[in-house]
Amino acid sequence: MTRGLPPWLLALLFVLAACAPLILALASGEPPEAVQAELGIGLGLAALALMLLQFAHSGRLETIAGRIGIDRTMRVHRSAGIALAAMVLLHPLAFVAPPLLTNPEFALRGLMGMLRAERMQSGVIALVLLLVVVAASLARGRIGLAYQRWRALHAALGLAAAAFAVDHALRVGLYSEFAPLRAFWLGGLALAAFALVWTWALKPIRDARAGWRVAAVAPLGPDYWEVVLDRPSHAPLGFAAGQFAWLAFGRRAPWDDNPFSIASAPGDPRLAFVIREAGDLTRAIGSLPLGSAVRVDAPHGAFALDPGERRAILLIAGGAGIAPILSLWRDLAARPDDRDGCTAFARAGVVAKNRDFRPEHVALQRAFAHRDPAWGGRSVLCLGSLGAPGAWSSGMNSDGLALADTQIPTAAHGPGLLRHFLMNPLLAGCPPATEALDLIMQAIETAGYKAGQDVMLALDCAATEYYRDGAYVLAGEGKTL
């Protein structure tokens, strides 16, 4: 049930909207100014268009994020924010560009005089507010700004910056006197304001009226809980397996909700979530009172299978990241098709496996413990078929690497791709997951298949595993979100 515009159409609409002020300026019939003035005006027009477009990115609108995913949408939002901040800084400098190169002192005096002018006040305020928004976003983790406070501040200051920027354009903008461009700015500001009203007021009221309540809270392991929601109507939520929901337990502010992947299957009247204790919200997740209200904003996300997908699929998850995999598995298991597949779960040296799509095979499954001097002291606990202990279908080695194959059609088996015999070199010779993934890629190529086309690998990393002190720390990328 993923919804939204195709990515190519989104990109086209984004470019058109960003360039619309420049096109309208050209159509205004105003005679062109000096080159540096035209450059400064163009930077200002483009920056203001990007600023207004930012509100479309941040509104959790499935029309925009439905097919590309909210993570990509937020990356575009972040990149566009940095780009428009750079353009806003260059906007006033462009007007003094020639003397700035030949007589910097004179150019800076002229720039300061221009910025002090009374008619420039709204533009200066917009510039300061925008820089505060960008700086707070980039340094949030380092300055200890709580995520919920940052979201509220980001929205409020962003809208204020946009309002002052539109006022600046209408007061001093040469081309903004053109009626169509003036209407563009006012309409864009109205849509930006509506996006915030919808996100922070109208949608939370609608979601609260859906009546979701906590129906069950059960421990799954150390620091992990399954939370089940239900509502009086028992009407199932429409979503696709693999999608997620924004949840707010109890009476929380509209900006004080968090994303959690759905673990239940589509069509189930109850919603199940796997949640790890981390951060202020989830630290007390195990003590949630039964019957307490929950605001559910869903569905979101593009981590979903195409209904007609028939290629081999390997799904790997860890920690709370198992939730969307459970949803996908439960959905696949309920489909009336002829595909053969299995799932397995490993934790702390224990491996559990189930023949999901061939129940008659359950009696044939056995657990085996293997050790070999050639493995450098490494031991392997694996699961396979009775009478074929070397043909493993899932397992875990003493280094902690666990492997589980899921929903692999037998028709896709070929030389180098047989899952049962690929497990042996993976568990015996690949201590870290990175080496295992490299070997899987080699096996795909050896079998004559193409990764990403014939065989898909999906890694769902639990976001809670990266959550530290109110921020998501991506050490591998050197980023804090």
Side-chain angles (χ1 to χ4, degrees):
M1 186 174 283
T2 52
R3 299 165 292 181
L5 298 175
W8 67 267
L9 183 56
L10 278 175
L12 178 61
L13 292 175
F14 182 85
V15 172
L16 288 176
C19 294
L22 299 175
I23 297 172
L24 291 173
L26 288 173
S28 67
E30 288 287 341
E33 299 287 324
V35 173
Q36 68 271 19
E38 289 294 318
L39 177 60
I41 293 172
L43 286 169
L45 294 176
L48 182 51
L50 279 179
M51 187 183 299
L52 296 175
L53 283 171
Q54 290 292 79
F55 293 90
H57 298 156
S58 58
R60 297 183 191 168
L61 302 175
E62 283 298 283
T63 302
I64 294 176
R67 294 198 187 184
I68 63 175
I70 199 167
D71 52 344
R72 292 180 181 174
T73 304
M74 288 297 100
R75 282 200 294 268
V76 172
H77 180 81
R78 180 186 177 93
S79 300
I82 295 173
L84 78 88
M87 287 191 288
V88 166
L89 287 173
L90 292 173
H91 168 57
L93 291 175
F95 290 95
V96 295
L100 190 62
L101 300 175
T102 57
N103 192 343
E105 184 178 352
F106 173 77
L108 291 176
R109 283 202 305 269
L111 177 63
M112 296 307 298
M114 180 177 65
L115 295 178
R116 290 195 190 101
E118 183 177 353
R119 68 191 193 114
M120 295 291 183
Q121 285 184 354
S122 57
V124 173
I125 294 173
L127 172 61
V128 173
L129 290 176
L130 177 63
L131 293 180
V132 170
V133 169
V134 174
S137 300
L138 295 177
R140 181 179 65 85
R142 291 188 289 273
I143 64 178
L145 183 61
Y147 174 69
Q148 289 78 7
R149 292 181 181 177
W150 169 80
R151 284 184 67 192
L153 184 70
H154 191 78
L157 293 185
L159 183 60
F164 279 109
V166 169
D167 179 76
H168 171 68
L170 298 179
R171 283 178 180 271
V172 304
L174 174 64
Y175 296 108
S176 294
E177 296 177 356
F178 185 45
L181 185 52
R182 188 181 188 87
F184 181 88
W185 294 137
L186 293 174
L189 181 60
L191 289 175
F194 176 77
L196 288 189
V197 171
W198 168 253
T199 303
W200 303 127
L202 300 180
K203 188 193 286 188
I205 292 174
R206 180 204 65 180
D207 295 337
R209 289 177 176 173
W212 290 100
R213 304 279 173 177
V214 176
V217 179
L220 296 177
D223 302 330
Y224 287 91
W225 299 83
E226 181 184 51
V227 177
V228 180
L229 310 182
D230 199 356
R231 54 180 169 180
S233 67
H234 301 295
L237 176 73
F239 70 95
Q243 291 191 295
F244 70 92
W246 292 84
L247 303 183
F249 296 96
R251 292 188 174 184
R252 290 183 174 270
W255 49 84
D256 196 5
D257 55 3
N258 292 77
F260 298 100
S261 294
I262 302 172
S264 48
D268 191 330
R270 290 186 163 196
L271 287 177
F273 300 88
V274 177
I275 301 177
R276 174 178 176 244
E277 293 181 6
D280 296 335
L281 173 67
T282 58
R283 190 173 289 121
I285 199 73
S287 59
L288 276 175
L290 298 183
S292 57
V294 184
R295 194 173 68 242
V296 179
D297 178 8
H300 294 283
F303 186 68
L305 294 178
D306 188 313
E309 181 61 71
R310 300 292 299 179
R311 292 174 294 181
I313 302 167
L314 174 65
L315 300 172
I316 304 174
I322 195 67
I325 304 302
L326 286 174
S327 181
L328 287 165
W329 164 69
R330 287 163 174 163
D331 182 44
L332 289 168
R335 294 184 185 182
D337 58 29
D338 58 352
R339 291 191 283 184
D340 176 39
C342 62
T343 59
F345 172 76
R347 180 180 174 86
V350 178
V351 184
K353 176 173 178 290
N354 180 38
R355 273 282 177 184
D356 309 304
F357 305 98
R358 290 291 184 271
E360 63 271 20
H361 293 167
V362 174
L364 300 177
Q365 304 305 303
R366 291 294 184 273
F368 303 93
H370 294 276
R371 292 179 178 86
D372 192 309
W375 297 349
R378 186 174 298 109
S379 58
V380 171
L381 178 64
C382 63
L383 287 158
S385 298
L386 183 64
W392 312 339
S393 55
S394 59
M396 183 175 185
N397 64 24
S398 53
D399 293 296
L401 175 65
L403 297 173
D405 58 349
T406 302
Q407 189 59 16
I408 302 180
T410 54
H413 291 173
L417 191 62
L418 285 170
R419 66 172 185 258
H420 303 299
F421 297 100
L422 184 57
M423 288 288 168
N424 196 319
L426 284 173
L427 291 176
C430 301
T434 51
E435 290 186 16
L437 291 172
D438 290 340
L439 187 57
I440 291 173
M441 295 296 290
Q442 294 175 16
I444 292 171
E445 295 176 1
T446 302
Y449 296 99
K450 185 176 181 180
Q453 179 175 317
D454 303 307
V455 179
M456 309 296 290
L457 301 182
L459 295 178
D460 185 78
C461 303
T464 50
E465 300 293 332
Y466 305 105
Y467 194 76
R468 301 287 186 278
D469 301 323
Y472 293 96
V473 181
L474 307 181
E477 299 183 25
K479 296 180 179 179
T480 300
L481 306 177

